[in-house]
Amino acid sequence: MPPPSDTVKVAIQWPGAFPKLMEIDQKKPLSAIIKEVSDGWSIIENHEDLALQYGEGSGFYITEKNRNEIKNGAILRLTSSPTHTAHKLHERVQSSSMDVKLEALKDLARFSRDITFAQEFINLDGIYLLTQMVESGTEKYQKLQKIMKPCFGEMLSYTLTAFVELMDHGIVSWDTFSVAFIKKIASFVNKSGMDISILQRSLAILESMVLNSHDLYQKVAQEISIGQLIPHLQGTDQEIQTYAIAVINALFLKAPDAMRQVCIYGDTQSNIAMSGELGDQDQRYFVYWYFCVCINHIEQFLIDLTF
């Protein structure tokens, strides 16, 4: 006989214990279910500091809003609450130990995909903390870069990844960022030989800044030009080419002067043609879309001249 529609059968894990097979009554408060599970394992932690998350797949936290998505046979994990985890990571990413900081940033980049965690970390001024780490951290460890370059590159990559994931939730406005932060991100794009993952995240950040804020567009345009993006189109990494085209698209769409857009079109078209075959479907789409927009702008410019 199938279980009632408001009941799901799941397995719940806890480190060092055998998984529990149990039925969850979806009409019962989630806090009561967590208390029942933690009491069953005689966990001494306050059940208010605990939460359930998926043990497989996304690993996202289960909340009252999304609990109806739990399917029969799901594997869940009893773990620290998003609030508790956010506080711990907020502290660990500021550790003076490079090893502790690096592991914390790895965890932060992973957890930040979950909007439940993201909200808690952002409430701790987590976005501000990451921007400060990008602005000042790179200077702080500049003298040590030759010795600890792999560690430095990884830390910066995970910092930027966490930043992108947090901003993608749309909780924080893009208008809040300083010129110093924009300059630092642009410098990663303009610098030759930059780590691929850092370059990808930096390009993604610049694209979002341009598309989501008119004020930031003007500031980004002062720090990076179409010409400085062209070398990324001529490289061999197709993902970087795609990210670079996306930034060019964004700059083109926000450019106020139609004649300047026509010039950008000609310059970019010739350089894309020189860069060789675009084998990636996303790249072909970006280029096709870009040229269509360019042609529309040219047509509108000619119409304006006529009238």
Side-chain angles (χ1 to χ4, degrees), residues 170-230:
I171 299 171
V172 177
S173 169
W174 282 95
D175 286 312
T176 59
F177 300 109
S178 67
V179 173
F181 181 70
I182 297 170
K183 285 179 178 289
K184 186 63 67 174
I185 297 299
S187 73
F188 299 149
V189 174
N190 293 332
K191 185 177 180 181
S192 61
M194 181 58 68
D195 180 85
I196 293 297
S197 62
I198 295 173
L199 183 55
Q200 285 179 350
R201 275 56 164 190
S202 299
L203 288 168
I205 291 169
L206 291 179
E207 180 197 9
S208 294
M209 284 180 171
V210 171
L211 291 178
N212 289 288
S213 170
H214 177 69
D215 288 341
L216 286 188
Y217 155 72
Q218 294 178 321
K219 294 173 182 175
V220 170
Q222 291 174 357
E223 299 301 326
I224 192 164
S225 66
I226 300 294
Q228 289 169 307
L229 291 167
I230 295 301

Side-chain angles (χ1 to χ4, degrees), residues 119-294:
Q119 183 67 72
E120 297 294 338
F121 191 77
I122 288 171
N123 288 343
L124 298 173
D125 285 332
I127 292 287
Y128 176 76
L129 172 62
L130 294 181
T131 58
Q132 288 299 299
M133 289 173 62
V134 171
E135 289 177 28
S136 60
T138 51
E139 300 297 333
K140 182 178 179 181
Y141 299 113
Q142 190 173 19
K143 295 180 180 179
L144 300 176
Q145 263 189 277
K146 291 184 179 180
I147 320 172
M148 50 179 289
K149 187 174 181 181
C151 181
F152 171 83
E154 275 192 283
M155 284 197 298
L156 182 56
S157 175
Y158 285 116
T159 302
L160 294 178
T161 300
F163 176 86
V164 170
E165 296 289 356
L166 290 169
M167 290 302 298
D168 278 350
H169 295 297
I171 299 171
V172 177
S173 169
W174 282 95
D175 286 312
T176 59
F177 300 109
S178 67
V179 173
F181 181 70
I182 297 170
K183 285 179 178 289
K184 186 63 67 174
I185 297 299
S187 73
F188 299 149
V189 174
N190 293 332
K191 185 177 180 181
S192 61
M194 181 58 68
D195 180 85
I196 293 297
S197 62
I198 295 173
L199 183 55
Q200 285 179 350
R201 275 56 164 190
S202 299
L203 288 168
I205 291 169
L206 291 179
E207 180 197 9
S208 294
M209 284 180 171
V210 171
L211 291 178
N212 289 288
S213 170
H214 177 69
D215 288 341
L216 286 188
Y217 155 72
Q218 294 178 321
K219 294 173 182 175
V220 170
Q222 291 174 357
E223 299 301 326
I224 192 164
S225 66
I226 300 294
Q228 289 169 307
L229 291 167
I230 295 301
H232 298 306
L233 298 181
Q234 297 171 330
T236 57
D237 190 292
Q238 291 190 349
E239 286 192 17
I240 294 300
Q241 290 175 338
T242 301
Y243 278 102
I245 291 172
V247 177
I248 293 172
N249 287 340
L251 288 169
F252 175 81
L253 286 175
K254 293 287 184 172
D257 183 4
M259 280 301 291
R260 177 187 170 198
Q261 291 170 351
V262 172
C263 293
I264 291 172
Y265 164 74
D267 186 30
T268 308
Q269 184 187 40
S270 62
N271 279 281
I272 290 176
M274 289 169 59
S275 66
E277 181 181 355
L278 295 174
D280 182 81
Q281 185 175 354
D282 287 340
Q283 285 183 305
R284 291 196 297 271
Y285 167 77
F286 270 127
V287 174
Y288 169 78
W289 177 83
Y290 177 73
F291 286 165
C292 286
V293 173
C294 288

